[in-house]
Amino acid sequence: PADIRDAAQARARSPPAPITDVARLCVCDLLVAQCDVNCCCDPDCSAEDFSLFTSCSVPVVTGDSQLCSQKAAVYSLDVEANPPERIFKLIDQVNPSIFCIHATNYKQALYLKSPEIPTPENFDQLLDKFGGATFSAEPDSWNLGTDAQNPPDANETSRYEYGLPVLTEDAFLRLPSPVVSSWCSDANPAGFLVNQATKCIRSVSVEKCDSIQALSMLFYINSSILAVPKSSEMVNITVQSIVVQSLNGMRTLLSSSDVLRLPMVLDGLCINAVLGVNYHITHTDTGEIIEAAAAFVLGAISKEALSIEQSFEISFTQENTQPVPLSGNPGYVVGLPVRAGFQPPGYPFPAAFLSNRHSQLTILHSTSTQDCLAAQGARATVLFGYNMISGCKLRITAAMKCQPLAQTLLDVLKGQSFPEYVASFGNSQAQDVLDWVPITQLLISEQMIPHTLQSSCQIPVSLAIEVKWTKYGSLVNPQARIVNVTATITTTTLKQLPSGRERIIPITSSVVFTDISSPAEPSYKAWPTIDIKLPFDFFYPFV
């Protein structure tokens, strides 16, 4: 019949169903109805064939390598069995890349679709679809409703994204900064999740200070912030604190910040002028701003002053989290802690601890008793650029067992949670994979020390950390960047010690910072020198 014939033709024209089961995939199965040599996934091979294999040519079979999580078929040979047999396992494989596909909901991408050939009948339709500067390749099945129900820019109203301006009811949140010169420009928008700190010069006139908007607190808090872009929900900026600065620089924190202090002229001075503003924005993990606060520094301006310096800062914190302190922006600052972290299982990037203590690289902290067994848990923070050394003493007796002692000393030297990574910059974020340097751990054996053991064992006696850093960026303002970290554990072999005797062993921990910056090479040749004597009044009237 015609309907059956049309259905058969439609099935013939439709693409075959893609195979997504990795247990049925086999890229080395080349022969039809025959067993391929060393192809452990070939369904045509029997147990007798597997017993003759020497190895598996394809040990792991996966689907799309760009998926975030998928099944993987693992094939191997048990050569110790008699006869040798194939081993098959189906495991869950996690993609370490942060750019991965969560779900393959675009089914048309699973097979090659023949492009539609232009004809006189469909030419106008194809021209309307693909003739513009941009076009959408999304299938019609993705449209869940009409354009009115699901407008193209619907996603833009759902959340803030990194770097987007923080919007207010009239424009955007202003963070004054110098643009071309050092003078303040109020046209600089604050970017979402972009921590900034700026300083600029503002022209003032004491007689007109009450009419200069940039000197008033209202200028910085009178506009409410949009919780999300293109939303009607507003977040008011509250005054967190007010600090008053006198003419000699002394600062006083006011007990109450409920009353606005507006600039005014008093006894030839302009008081309550804004000298600094510090914004703090709290947001959710979905990119919605839920709280905004501002801390002000107000001061007095004398009538002789023609300009003042204002400072502005903005920081962002996710709700229910503690802010991680930075050690520079971007390069490390000498004397600030070296930031460290570890990589939890299943995470593609290092995750820094939220606790201040555990988000930093630490070494053994020397105590007054110098007893290693009592020094567990005492840690000293490694400060960038500071070479450090600390230690303790270990008293070995005949009653001590080697293996528990070795583990105790390792905990004393490395701590309970020794980090795996160090941040290369002072402001490195956990999601920036390339900004984290892995710590290379080495093990070195030393001389032998007597001990009451029939068989020798190793105990750690020192931990030496070497941090190599370099100057990064412009020669005018170089930034300190860590490029390599090596942690070397030195062990000592313990052997038999006469009964009743004891020995004291020093345990040391040290950190050394090494600058490996290559010297700057000038792009010009050395200027020639001229050996002449100038007249004594050549620079007159200058000295």
Side-chain angles (χ1 to χ4, degrees):
D3 54 349
I4 299 179
R5 183 175 63 254
D6 295 341
Q9 293 177 354
R11 285 194 301 269
R13 290 192 301 266
S14 63
I19 298 177
T20 57
D21 186 5
V22 293
R24 298 170 54 195
L25 292 175
C26 189
V27 295
C28 58
D29 185 9
L30 304 179
L31 301 177
V32 180
Q34 296 185 36
C35 178
D36 292 82
V37 179
N38 290 339
C39 184
C40 296
C41 58
D42 193 344
D44 299 322
C45 298
S46 61
E48 292 78 9
D49 296 328
F50 292 138
S51 65
L52 301 177
F53 286 3
T54 58
S55 62
C56 293
S57 59
V58 181
V60 181
V61 178
T62 59
D64 191 349
S65 60
Q66 297 183 1
L67 290 176
C68 298
S69 177
Q70 61 176 324
K71 295 290 184 179
V74 180
Y75 299 91
S76 61
L77 293 177
D78 186 5
V79 296
E80 296 181 357
N82 190 16
E85 57 184 15
R86 184 197 69 170
I87 300 176
F88 168 73
K89 293 181 180 179
L90 196 63
I91 63 173
D92 293 325
Q93 191 176 61
V94 178
N95 189 349
S97 175
I98 61 175
F99 301 104
C100 56
I101 300 175
H102 180 68
T104 54
N105 53 0
Y106 187 25
K107 301 302 181 182
Q108 296 185 11
L110 299 177
Y111 54 84
L112 179 62
K113 181 180 179 181
S114 300
E116 189 174 358
I117 300 177
T119 62
E121 291 76 15
N122 64 0
F123 182 81
D124 294 336
Q125 179 183 359
L126 295 178
L127 183 62
D128 295 338
K129 185 176 182 180
F130 302 106
T134 60
F135 58 86
S136 174
E138 297 179 356
D140 295 337
S141 60
W142 284 17
N143 296 330
L144 303 179
T146 61
D147 293 341
Q149 296 173 347
N150 189 17
D153 58 349
N155 293 331
E156 298 180 4
T157 65
S158 59
R159 61 173 183 169
Y160 280 103
E161 294 182 357
Y162 177 84
L164 289 180
V166 177
L167 303 178
T168 60
E169 53 186 346
D170 53 356
F172 50 80
L173 183 62
R174 296 175 176 86
L175 193 72
S177 64
V179 181
V180 179
S181 61
S182 59
W183 297 100
C184 293
S185 172
D186 298 325
N188 177 46
F192 184 68
L193 296 184
V194 180
N195 297 333
Q196 298 183 64
T198 63
K199 290 183 179 181
C200 56
I201 305 298
R202 180 85 63 179
S203 177
V204 296
S205 174
V206 174
E207 292 79 7
K208 302 178 181 178
C209 77
D210 54 352
S211 61
I212 301 177
Q213 292 185 349
L215 300 182
S216 175
M217 294 177 57
L218 287 176
F219 181 71
Y220 303 98
I221 63 173
N222 60 353
S223 296
S224 300
I225 297 177
L226 273 63
V228 293
K230 298 184 179 180
S231 170
S232 58
E233 184 179 355
M234 301 293 177
V235 177
N236 296 327
I237 303 177
T238 60
V239 179
Q240 187 176 33
S241 63
I242 299 177
V243 175
V244 177
Q245 177 176 308
S246 61
L247 288 176
N248 58 5
M250 183 178 296
R251 294 189 174 186
T252 304
L253 177 63
L254 299 182
S255 58
S256 177
S257 58
D258 297 336
V259 180
L260 294 180
R261 292 175 172 260
L262 301 180
M264 58 183 299
V265 180
L266 180 64
D267 297 334
L269 299 177
C270 177
I271 62 173
N272 298 333
V274 174
L275 302 181
V277 184
N278 190 336
Y279 290 108
H280 186 75
I281 308 296
T282 304
H283 63 91
T284 64
D285 56 351
T286 58
E288 178 183 357
I289 295 177
I290 59 176
E291 187 178 346
F296 288 91
V297 176
L298 307 181
I301 306 174
S302 62
K303 60 181 180 180
E304 293 82 9
L306 301 178
S307 62
I308 61 171
E309 182 183 63
Q310 291 181 313
S311 60
F312 302 92
E313 188 173 350
I314 186 170
S315 59
F316 295 83
T317 302
Q318 184 176 325
E319 65 172 343
N320 301 326
T321 61
Q322 297 179 359
V324 178
L326 303 181
S327 297
N329 189 20
Y332 275 97
V333 176
V334 175
L336 293 184
V338 174
R339 303 177 62 236
F342 72 104
Q343 186 172 7
Y347 279 72
F349 51 81
F353 287 91
L354 294 181
S355 172
N356 290 349
R357 175 185 170 190
H358 293 97
S359 64
Q360 301 164 356
L361 188 64
T362 60
I363 63 173
L364 168 66
H365 180 68
S366 299
T367 60
S368 57
T369 60
Q370 292 293 306
D371 185 4
C372 290
L373 299 181
Q376 272 188 292
R379 310 295 296 173
T381 302
V382 175
L383 304 180
F384 183 82
Y386 286 4
N387 296 337
M388 306 170 62
I389 185 169
S390 62
C392 57
K393 295 180 181 179
L394 173 66
R395 186 185 301 273
I396 299 179
T397 62
M400 291 183 177
K401 296 183 179 181
C402 180
Q403 295 299 338
L405 179 62
Q407 184 61 44
T408 300
L409 289 178
L410 193 62
D411 293 340
V412 169
L413 289 173
K414 299 178 64 176
Q416 295 296 328
S417 299
F418 191 75
E420 301 174 353
Y421 294 84
V422 166
S424 58
F425 291 101
N427 65 345
S428 297
Q429 302 297 321
Q431 63 270 19
D432 298 332
V433 182
L434 300 180
D435 277 0
W436 291 84
V437 178
I439 299 178
T440 304
Q441 301 192 29
L442 303 178
L443 187 64
I444 299 178
S445 181
E446 211 180 38
Q447 72 275 4
M448 295 184 180
I449 296 178
H451 189 61
T452 56
L453 291 176
Q454 296 180 355
S455 59
S456 62
C457 73
Q458 301 281 334
I459 65 168
V461 293
S462 70
L463 169 63
I465 301 177
E466 183 183 15
V467 181
K468 296 181 180 179
W469 65 280
T470 182
K471 297 182 180 69
Y472 180 84
S474 171
L475 294 176
V476 179
N477 185 23
Q479 302 294 312
R481 175 187 183 183
I482 295 178
V483 295
N484 182 268
V485 179
T486 303
T488 304
I489 294 286
T490 303
T491 62
T492 295
T493 304
L494 298 180
K495 280 201 170 182
Q496 186 175 1
L497 181 72
S499 178
R501 297 186 59 183
E502 62 182 25
R503 184 162 185 170
I504 297 178
I505 302 176
I507 307 297
T508 60
S509 181
S510 62
V511 177
V512 175
F513 288 85
T514 305
D515 184 3
I516 61 172
S517 304
S518 57
E521 297 180 0
S523 58
Y524 55 86
K525 296 182 179 180
W527 294 104
T529 57
I530 304 175
D531 187 13
I532 61 174
K533 187 176 182 180
L534 298 176
F536 73 93
D537 59 345
F538 183 81
F539 293 103
Y540 182 83
F542 303 100
V543 179

